[in-house]
Amino acid sequence: MSAEDVKKGSQAVRLVVEEDPAWLSAYGRTKDSRGHALYSAIVTLTLAVLGSTILPVPYAFSKMGVIAGVTTMMLVAFVNASTCCMLIRAAAATGRYTYEELAYWAGGRKAKVLTQVSLILLLYGTLCGGLAFLSDVARIMVQKG
């Protein structure tokens, strides 16, 4: 068993990680390194983000044109980066590290519920989009035999 001290705000938190030598990872190794875990998380998140944007972007560009498409993409990137920076600063300043905690701190119970509903709708929409894509691909594969 190994222990690690992590500083969270003004408090020191002690994390304890149990190491079981008999445990096998999904990749057949007996122990995953922290670097491998970080790599795995980055790849998973990248695939999730790219999977939901790779297909709609060319379609949007074909309908909007190159100039309007690039302008819209730059605007969305700027707003996304600004929002991420704002959330990081708010989390550091308030000590609240989830969307729900920040919403409750900023706007009370109604803001927290609105945030939770928004997250549920976002995840539901992403799931529906993925299922629609899979059904289209499956249909094409069945038709081609």
Side-chain angles (χ1 to χ4, degrees), residues 9-10 31 33 41 44 46 66-67 75 86 107 113 133 142-144:
S10 61
K31 197 170 157 187
S33 67
T44 302
T46 302
V66 174
I67 294 174
L75 177 66
M86 191 183 332
V113 170
F133 171 71
V142 167
Q143 287 175 350
K144 291 194 176 195

Side-chain angles (χ1 to χ4, degrees), residues 95-114:
R96 287 156 176 88
Y97 297 101
T98 66
Y99 286 119
E100 291 91 346
E101 288 175 346
L102 280 170
Y104 186 76
W105 178 82
R109 187 174 187 283
K110 288 182 181 179
K112 180 180 177 180
V113 170
L114 179 65

